[in-house]
Amino acid sequence: MSSQRRPPAPDRPFGRDGISGLVDADRARRAREVSRPTPADLAAAGQAADAAVARLDRSRR
């Protein structure tokens, strides 16, 4: 440990992580709503999964 004094820490307007001032409850809620899959997204994912499983079953024979 050094006996020298450190200069004061600079002000951090966005918090220690550098982003906490940029995200508020409204922005977080909007991001959550935008990122939720729609029923069409879920249906497309189900079809893609079924097709992938069918390809796997064909290659094993």
Side-chain angles (χ1 to χ4, degrees):
M1 196 180 255
S2 174
S3 61
Q4 295 178 348
R5 293 186 142 191
R6 292 184 182 174
D11 289 336
R12 294 183 176 160
F14 293 123
R16 291 186 148 210
D17 58 5
I19 195 165
S20 60
L22 298 174
V23 179
D24 59 7
D26 291 329
R27 287 183 177 182
R29 192 177 316 88
R30 174 75 179 136
R32 183 189 68 198
E33 293 299 321
V34 168
S35 67
R36 285 188 177 168
T38 64
D41 294 334
L42 295 175
Q47 289 173 351
D50 291 341
V53 169
R55 282 193 306 271
L56 284 173
D57 286 342
R58 270 189 299 198
S59 65
R60 289 185 182 176
R61 292 180 187 176

